[in-house]
Amino acid sequence: MPEWLYGRHAVEEVLRAGRRKVFRVLLAEAGQESKSGRGERLVEIEELAKRAGAQIERVPAARLDALTRVGHHHQGVAAEVTPFKYATLAETVQLCREAGSHALVLILDSLQDPQNFGTLLRSSEAAGVTAIVMLDRRQVEVTPAVANASAGAVEHLQICLANNLPRAIQELQEASLWVYALQAEPDAVLYTQADLRGPLGLVVGSEGKGVGRLVRERCDGALQIPMLGKIESLNAAVAGSIVLYEALRQRTDDSR
Amino acid sequence: MPEWLYGRHAVEEVLRAGRRKVFRVLLAEAGQESKSGRGERLVEIEELAKRAGAQIERVPAARLDALTRVGHHHQGVAAEVTPFKYATLAETVQLCREAGSHALVLILDSLQDPQNFGTLLRSSEAAGVTAIVMLDRRQVEVTPAVANASAGAVEHLQICLANNLPRAIQELQEASLWVYALQAEPDAVLYTQADLRGPLGLVVGSEGKGVGRLVRERCDGALQIPMLGKIESLNAAVAGSIVLYEALRQRTDDSR
């Protein structure tokens, strides 16, 4: 079943990555390209779409409004594409073995909010993660809304759906990853005091409930982020991004 | 004009902080407390509301639905409160002088998205910022949606509306702050390589356009976050949070 991606970044990156087949690209007619947008970006997308062999149609903006849901900003562009293709756990473990000490895997335990999910994927791609592993049920999937919130980052990521998260973590550990849960708890280590160099997995839990008990028990330890104010926790996507970038800092800091 | 805050964290923190007058707290009738919620939290809120002298009413969930906009989750609770009170620039400068070398100010240049704004306020509160300074036009204000997205963090923050951002930055500089723009540009320094100890201001720009030219010219330098993938930028709230937490790391790291 094809699906409709929308938004300039999402459509541009699906064309650049070339992993999904792009059947059709719909562009808003001149003058209806959404006031927030930049005209040159649509021209660039049209060029990429041509090279990808996609059918290109200029349509009234109202047609794009009807394709996407209320509150989802298409910015004058949508693309009909094949569904997102997930990686298998075996492929993911293999990628980690190839990455060696650079392996960096984000593991998502029941993240619920598509906006948070997309934001965290965007950070993951920027921080150079090897792969994402997530549960194949009770969780957001890579929908068009997620592709949009990720600014198209999903198109460049390896994302694996696991049917048993503790077992998947075990397989990653057998491939030499040290796996931390991001979770405030009495034994948690400050994230800046942990050694995040070497093959690493980081588990981010759901917005309300954190990391599940069975998943936590399978991890090698827990990390926490200092909270200096009165609020209990950070936004889940922000927390995950901060630790991913701390890992990147430690890995690239020559002075250590 | 009183306004209606909604959501458990937003209402709990407005009561805890005690800075706004809380006239009424509406709680969903038993059994209608929203399935995602935890009953004990409503009991806690009821207790706080009593102590604050607010009028407490049990109402059908439909009444709460009607008070808040579509897609805004009230989680079974809303509170009628006085509007958010902003700090003046003079007060903010004074707070910075008192904070001395610990002064840490987040400066927002035309951030547009209430969700991003709230998320960044939540991170700011957790990272212990002294104050937030933002432009008083063309920008999101501290609306109930922002209070909600911040998990109530706004109630504990000093937020200043400035009518001229370059001038406000200049006043902060005169109070000894070193002010960086978070902006990818040829002369930008990697955020991990800059010295972020000492009195510091950090400017975060709008989601699409970054930091404005006049604001950028007033800054002492620019910081950038490494982007290892194909995507151009991080979510604005994530980017700001990463740099705030790097500042906190440098300020608390004994080994430097």
Side-chain angles (χ1 to χ4, degrees):
Chain A
M1 273 286 288
E3 62 186 29
W4 284 97
L5 294 183
Y6 60 89
R8 294 178 189 209
H9 286 294
V11 172
E12 191 174 327
E13 298 306 329
V14 80
L15 288 164
R16 276 192 209 289
R19 299 197 312 195
R20 309 204 209 189
K21 174 137 185 66
V22 180
F23 303 106
R24 279 192 290 174
V25 173
L26 306 191
L27 297 162
E29 285 167 352
Q32 300 188 341
E33 299 176 341
S34 128
K35 53 192 175 183
S36 71
R38 285 164 289 181
E40 68 271 29
R41 195 134 211 169
L42 285 193
V43 173
E44 215 178 311
I45 289 173
E46 188 166 4
E47 196 50 52
L48 286 166
K50 265 184 207 154
R51 268 185 265 158
Q55 186 182 327
I56 298 161
E57 294 174 39
R58 286 275 171 184
V59 299
R63 172 98 188 275
L64 293 165
D65 295 343
L67 268 176
T68 52
R69 292 199 306 181
V70 176
H72 289 181
H73 302 300
H74 52 70
Q75 301 173 299
V77 59
E80 191 183 25
V81 302
T82 50
F84 185 82
K85 194 166 170 293
Y86 294 91
T88 66
L89 184 57
E91 286 164 351
T92 304
V93 169
Q94 182 56 29
L95 282 173
C96 289
R97 291 194 194 278
E98 288 165 13
S101 65
H102 299 291
L104 179 58
V105 174
L106 180 71
I107 300 153
L108 300 177
D109 182 15
S110 314
L111 206 67
Q112 302 291 333
D113 180 68
Q115 190 69 40
N116 276 346
F117 181 36
T119 299
L120 196 41
L121 292 177
R122 183 172 175 182
S123 300
S124 299
E125 200 267 345
V129 303
T130 314
I132 317 278
V133 174
M134 56 191 266
L135 202 59
D136 66 358
R137 295 157 279 122
R138 290 178 303 151
Q139 187 153 5
V140 285
E141 292 194 22
V142 180
T143 60
V146 169
N148 188 271
S150 81
V154 289
E155 309 303 337
H156 305 287
L157 286 167
Q158 298 295 330
I159 304 180
C160 165
L161 293 180
N163 56 22
N164 180 320
L165 220 43
R167 185 123 36 108
I169 291 171
Q170 187 173 357
E171 288 202 37
L172 292 169
Q173 287 166 328
E174 285 164 7
S176 303
L177 271 73
W178 191 265
V179 179
Y180 281 114
L182 181 50
Q183 173 107 309
E185 54 175 58
D187 292 339
V189 178
L190 270 185
Y191 79 112
T192 49
Q193 310 253 307
D195 186 348
L196 305 178
R197 296 167 301 174
L200 181 76
L202 175 69
V203 183
V204 173
S206 76
E207 292 84 356
K209 292 171 195 149
V211 176
R213 187 176 58 82
L214 293 175
V215 171
R216 172 63 193 89
E217 283 173 7
R218 187 62 242 174
C219 294
D220 298 298
L223 300 178
Q224 66 179 329
I225 297 177
M227 302 292 297
L228 300 194
K230 315 257 186 197
I231 301 298
E232 280 169 25
S233 67
L234 294 171
N235 169 285
V238 166
S241 302
I242 286 173
V243 180
L244 286 174
Y245 265 88
E246 170 65 9
L248 184 58
R249 186 192 69 79
Q250 291 188 13
R251 284 150 187 250
T252 51
D253 184 357
D254 294 333
S255 66
R256 281 175 76 105
Chain B
M1 273 285 288
E3 62 186 29
W4 284 96
L5 293 183
Y6 58 90
R8 293 178 190 211
H9 287 294
V11 173
E12 191 173 327
E13 299 306 329
V14 79
L15 288 164
R16 274 191 211 291
R19 298 198 311 195
R20 306 206 211 189
K21 173 138 187 65
V22 180
F23 303 106
R24 280 192 289 173
V25 174
L26 306 191
L27 298 161
E29 284 168 352
Q32 300 188 341
E33 300 176 341
S34 128
K35 53 190 175 187
S36 72
R38 286 164 288 183
E40 67 271 28
R41 195 134 211 168
L42 285 194
V43 173
E44 216 176 311
I45 288 172
E46 188 166 3
E47 195 50 51
L48 287 166
K50 265 184 209 157
R51 267 184 266 156
Q55 184 182 328
I56 298 161
E57 294 173 37
R58 286 276 172 183
V59 299
R63 171 101 188 272
L64 292 165
D65 295 343
L67 268 177
T68 52
R69 293 199 308 182
V70 176
H72 289 183
H73 302 300
H74 53 70
Q75 301 173 300
V77 59
E80 191 183 24
V81 301
T82 49
F84 185 81
K85 193 165 171 294
Y86 295 91
T88 65
L89 184 56
E91 286 164 352
T92 305
V93 169
Q94 181 55 29
L95 281 173
C96 288
R97 293 194 193 276
E98 287 165 13
S101 65
H102 299 291
L104 179 57
V105 174
L106 180 70
I107 299 153
L108 300 177
D109 182 14
S110 314
L111 206 67
Q112 302 291 333
D113 181 68
Q115 190 68 40
N116 276 346
F117 180 37
T119 299
L120 196 42
L121 292 178
R122 183 173 175 180
S123 300
S124 299
E125 200 269 343
V129 304
T130 314
I132 318 278
V133 174
M134 56 190 266
L135 202 59
D136 65 359
R137 297 159 276 120
R138 290 178 304 150
Q139 186 152 6
V140 285
E141 293 193 23
V142 180
T143 60
V146 169
N148 189 271
S150 82
V154 289
E155 310 303 337
H156 304 288
L157 285 167
Q158 297 295 329
I159 304 179
C160 165
L161 293 181
N163 56 22
N164 180 320
L165 220 43
R167 185 125 33 112
I169 291 171
Q170 186 172 357
E171 288 203 35
L172 292 168
Q173 287 166 328
E174 285 163 7
S176 303
L177 270 74
W178 190 264
V179 179
Y180 281 115
L182 181 51
Q183 174 108 309
E185 55 175 57
D187 291 338
V189 178
L190 271 185
Y191 78 112
T192 49
Q193 311 253 305
D195 186 347
L196 306 179
R197 297 167 299 173
L200 181 75
L202 176 69
V203 183
V204 173
S206 77
E207 293 84 357
K209 292 170 196 150
V211 177
R213 188 175 58 81
L214 292 176
V215 171
R216 171 64 192 90
E217 283 173 6
R218 187 62 241 173
C219 294
D220 298 298
L223 299 178
Q224 67 179 328
I225 297 177
M227 301 292 297
L228 300 194
K230 316 258 187 197
I231 301 298
E232 281 169 26
S233 67
L234 294 171
N235 169 285
V238 166
S241 302
I242 286 173
V243 180
L244 287 174
Y245 265 88
E246 170 64 8
L248 185 58
R249 186 192 69 79
Q250 291 188 12
R251 285 150 186 249
T252 51
D253 185 356
D254 295 332
S255 68
R256 282 176 75 105

